[in-house]
Amino acid sequence: MNNSFKYNLLVCGGTGCTSSDSEIIISTFKEECKENNIDKEVKVTRTGCFGLCELGPIVIVNPGGYFYCRLEVKDVPSIVKEHLIGGNPIKDLIYKETIQDDKIIAFDETPFYAKQNKIALRNCGVIDPGEIDEYIEHDGYKALDTVLNSMTPDETIAVVKDSGLRGRGGGGFPAGLKWEFTKNNESSQKYVLCNADEGDPGAFMDRSILEGDPHSIIEAMTIAGYAIGASKGFVYVRAEYPIAVTRLQSAIDVAVETGMLGNNILKSGFNFELEIRLGAGAFVCGEETALIHSIEGERGEPSYKPPYPAESGLWNKPTLINNVETYANIPVIFNKGAKWFASIGTEKSKGTKVFALGGKIKHTGLIEIPMGTTLREVIFEIGGGIPNGRKFKAAQTGGPSGGCLPESLLDIKIDFDSLTSVGSMMGSGGLIVMDDSNCMVDIAKFFLEFTVDESCGKCTPCRVGTMRLYEMLQNISSGKAVIEDLDKLEALCHVVKSSSLCGLGQTAPNPILSTLQYFRDEYVAHIVDKKCPAGVCADLLTYTVIEDKCIGCTLCAKNCPVDAIEGSVKKPHIIDVDKCIKCGICVDKCKFDAITR
């Protein structure tokens, strides 16, 4: 913090908090400080995401690391007068887990933060992404200066290889090897691409890095350009990320103005240009060849490989593609050393991994953990466990391409090879937690519906195969399947995996195969017993009133949209199964658990 300020207020400016009026909170803090004549003592900084997104809007007051959460504009005057002027933090507005034995601890000592190791997210929630000076104060562009003025391209690539960094976009291919392959393909023009087209449901890792630390991506891509001999780069980001796009473009403009990008960067003689290309939100464009075609102005469809992009990519020139998180690690690797980075994680999975933690879990948000951290640690320590007294059932890693892991695998280490060995995958970093109220057949159907919608349709196994898989799941969830269909379902999964053109189709069956492997009993219950054990699949539900629990309060009848519930006041009610549309409103409204399904 600048020593000229008594306090530094870090206000989250990520998408989540912005949607909850954090911009108004920022302006209100500035106005209140000015009115109280302390504006020269207080710095109000708009930052990127702090991670605990469910608690937004978030404001951290330094010194002390006081973590104010779920703030409203009306709370600002009180914080200014009582905390900033009076020196008395307002406990009622502070994150409850920072209050221990009536004392307030710094937020980074709480379970959510204590086990994290932020490398890719190191500047998110720390600096103003719109101020290049703040990035430079945190070692920004130091790595670029070192590389351009004291290292050869081969030496640069050697550092990336020695670090053991693997691509964070899902495949886990060694980043240094990809850089080397691209460098070794001679051409008068080469390109560096950044894949910022994360499309997994609930994933926002790349978006948060672009929003909170855009200069780190610019610096890393420029280093990559020098290493492979490229003079041009593109960041392919979905148009649905307006804040990320705006901040990245602003950072590019400032980098050019200050000599960190453009011609003769840092007086090294190296030239590198960077542009943004907007995607329309197609999941398949996360596949590298589909992404390339989209940048070229063509339909976003994958190509047969080989040739790989390192040999013939954008406009048939050698092209390097990494995703946002992969690039975010690059400056730190050069600043702290390959050996330092390789000391974190496991033997074959070095460094950390960023996850978007969501679902049935107490603390939802963005986390960054060392590779090798167990699923149990993430869910029950960092994530705070399952809320509402429910029981953990499964964790889905890797988005639509991943698998669902049961309670028996809670102690598995989170790394590329361990997850693959049990039928899941790292993916780009989605981690969805499910409890005993989730139906695993319904979960598999949800992800298959997504991949059916997102398939580009170029290859028959994906275009037709995923639709057939989805139809089979529909039959199971509606009670129309027979037990032999499970063998057919599994067989078709393997056909789609082995014959689809790109990663979308090749991994689409994973949610089905993993749930068949670990939750087969639920499939059997749907088919044989014609029941959904979790009470989710509407076609298999029958709503019944438990007479000795029903007190005749009439709340269920009043809320039934089709008047399917009859009964007198203080008398047990009856549900007409022929009228019932199985909407579940009666169950939600009943305060006495008197209705079963």
Side-chain angles (χ1 to χ4, degrees):
M1 184 177 71
N2 189 324
N3 291 329
S4 65
F5 294 100
K6 183 177 179 181
Y7 291 106
N8 189 7
L9 274 58
L10 304 176
V11 186
C12 177
T15 292
C17 287
T18 298
S19 68
S20 300
D21 294 334
S22 68
E23 288 296 321
I24 301 176
I25 287 173
I26 290 172
S27 60
T28 306
F29 263 116
K30 291 180 178 179
E31 291 168 4
E32 287 292 322
C33 288
K34 188 172 183 178
E35 286 183 13
N36 288 276
N37 298 315
I38 61 169
D39 52 308
K40 304 298 183 184
E41 302 175 19
V42 180
K43 181 181 180 183
V44 182
T45 302
R46 177 190 296 101
T47 72
C49 180
F50 291 112
L52 263 174
C53 304
E54 57 157 331
L55 297 180
I58 294 170
V59 175
I60 292 177
V61 178
N62 285 320
Y66 297 99
F67 192 104
Y68 287 99
C69 59
R70 292 182 178 144
L71 287 188
E72 298 180 33
V73 176
K74 66 180 178 62
D75 299 322
V76 173
S78 300
I79 295 174
V80 171
K81 291 175 182 177
E82 294 186 35
H83 188 161
L84 303 185
I85 297 175
N88 298 309
I90 305 174
K91 289 184 178 180
D92 288 344
L93 299 176
I94 286 176
Y95 180 35
K96 301 306 178 188
E97 293 199 13
T98 64
I99 302 175
Q100 297 181 3
D101 299 326
D102 207 36
K103 292 182 180 179
I104 302 175
I105 63 171
F107 72 93
D108 54 8
E109 297 178 32
T110 61
F112 181 82
Y113 290 101
K115 282 210 166 189
Q116 295 191 52
N117 184 357
K118 295 194 175 184
I119 298 177
L121 297 176
R122 62 194 176 279
N123 290 327
C124 293
V126 176
I127 67 172
D128 183 340
E131 295 291 336
I132 191 172
D133 289 343
E134 291 197 20
Y135 179 68
I136 291 173
E137 286 174 10
H138 288 76
D139 293 332
Y141 292 109
K142 178 181 175 182
L144 180 61
D145 185 38
T146 300
V147 168
L148 294 186
N149 291 304
S150 63
M151 298 177 69
T152 66
D154 286 333
E155 290 172 337
T156 303
I157 292 173
V159 171
V160 180
K161 290 174 68 175
D162 291 344
S163 72
L165 175 67
R166 294 172 65 173
R168 300 305 198 240
F173 190 83
L177 282 179
K178 185 181 282 191
W179 288 31
E180 185 176 58
F181 293 156
T182 314
K183 177 188 178 296
N184 290 342
N185 284 295
E186 296 296 330
S187 176
S188 59
Q189 178 67 60
K190 297 180 182 180
Y191 296 101
V192 176
L193 303 186
C194 176
N195 182 351
D197 191 59
E198 61 183 350
D200 293 8
F204 55 101
M205 299 77 62
D206 291 351
R207 186 195 76 200
S208 294
I209 294 173
L210 291 176
E211 290 177 351
D213 194 16
H215 283 285
S216 67
I217 306 307
I218 296 171
E219 182 176 15
M221 292 182 69
T222 308
I223 291 172
Y226 172 75
I228 69 167
S231 60
K232 184 77 174 180
F234 294 93
V235 181
Y236 185 85
V237 57
R238 49 183 50 215
E240 297 149 311
Y241 288 176
I243 295 176
V245 171
T246 300
R247 291 182 186 169
L248 178 60
Q249 185 60 62
S250 177
I252 289 173
D253 294 341
V254 172
V256 172
E257 291 172 9
T258 53
M260 304 297 177
L261 198 60
N263 295 325
N264 194 23
I265 299 171
L266 293 170
K267 299 180 181 179
S268 65
F270 176 64
N271 305 325
F272 189 74
E273 297 178 1
L274 198 56
E275 292 184 21
I276 296 174
R277 286 290 183 269
L278 298 181
F283 182 62
V284 73
C285 285
E287 196 278 337
E288 56 186 11
T289 58
L291 182 152
I292 287 171
H293 292 150
S294 182
I295 292 178
E296 292 172 337
E298 304 293 333
R299 181 181 173 87
E301 293 179 334
S303 298
Y304 290 97
K305 294 181 285 189
Y308 291 91
E311 180 183 353
S312 178
L314 187 62
W315 292 299
N316 300 316
K317 302 295 184 181
T319 302
L320 172 68
I321 307 178
N322 287 125
N323 83 324
V324 172
E325 186 185 343
T326 309
Y327 283 124
N329 285 283
I330 294 298
V332 192
I333 289 172
F334 283 91
N335 287 336
K336 295 192 176 183
K339 186 178 292 187
W340 168 83
F341 186 84
S343 69
I344 302 168
T346 64
E347 182 182 354
K348 294 183 179 179
S349 298
K350 307 295 185 182
T352 59
K353 182 71 189 75
V354 179
F355 285 96
L357 188 60
K360 307 294 183 61
I361 193 162
K362 186 177 179 182
H363 301 316
T364 60
L366 207 63
I367 65 172
E368 184 172 3
I369 56 171
M371 294 280 195
T373 304
T374 66
L375 200 56
R376 186 185 300 276
E377 289 176 287
V378 170
I379 295 171
F380 292 98
E381 295 182 37
I382 297 173
I386 314 301
N388 305 318
R390 309 293 309 211
K391 187 176 183 298
F392 170 82
K393 187 171 193 176
Q396 206 266 358
T397 69
S401 304
C404 299
L405 306 179
E407 186 177 18
S408 61
L409 292 175
L410 273 173
D411 292 310
I412 191 170
K413 291 182 177 180
I414 297 175
D415 60 50
F416 290 104
D417 302 315
S418 296
L419 291 176
T420 301
S421 71
V422 293
S424 190
M425 64 183 297
M426 184 80 71
S428 59
L431 204 167
I432 300 174
V433 179
M434 290 159 268
D435 64 19
D436 53 6
S437 67
N438 286 110
C439 167
M440 302 314 294
V441 176
D442 185 65
I443 291 293
K445 189 169 70 171
F446 167 80
F447 284 112
L448 254 293
E449 183 177 20
F450 177 83
T451 52
V452 166
D453 288 342
E454 294 295 337
S455 173
C456 73
K458 183 174 182 177
C459 73
T460 302
C462 182
R463 182 183 69 252
V464 179
T466 56
M467 176 58 77
R468 296 291 85 80
L469 289 172
Y470 178 69
E471 290 171 350
M472 294 171 81
L473 290 174
Q474 280 187 309
N475 286 338
I476 292 171
S477 64
S478 61
K480 298 176 183 177
V482 294
I483 199 67
E484 290 78 13
D485 288 339
L486 291 184
D487 291 334
K488 296 177 182 177
L489 179 68
E490 190 167 359
L492 182 55
C493 282
H494 290 297
V495 170
V496 173
K497 279 182 70 72
S498 63
S499 55
S500 291
L501 173 59
C502 79
L504 188 151
Q506 292 164 8
T507 58
N510 284 347
I512 300 177
L513 290 172
S514 61
T515 50
L516 278 173
Q517 180 179 358
Y518 300 117
F519 302 96
R520 196 178 189 89
D521 57 324
E522 288 198 31
Y523 283 86
V524 173
H526 282 71
I527 295 171
V528 177
D529 302 329
K530 307 298 179 186
K531 287 188 177 181
C532 174
V536 172
C537 299
D539 289 335
L540 300 181
L541 302 181
T542 301
Y543 289 82
T544 307
V545 175
I546 303 173
E547 286 191 24
D548 57 356
K549 282 190 175 184
C550 179
I551 65 168
C553 70
T554 74
L555 198 58
C556 60
K558 290 177 180 177
N559 284 279
C560 179
V562 292
D563 298 324
I565 303 177
E566 299 176 352
S568 304
V569 176
K570 296 184 180 181
K571 298 277 186 172
H573 284 42
I574 297 173
I575 298 176
D576 186 332
V577 294
D578 293 326
K579 286 185 178 181
C580 179
I581 60 173
K582 304 176 182 180
C583 64
I585 291 177
C586 57
V587 176
D588 295 335
K589 294 296 182 181
C590 182
K591 299 178 180 179
F592 306 98
D593 294 327
I595 302 176
T596 63
R597 53 184 174 187

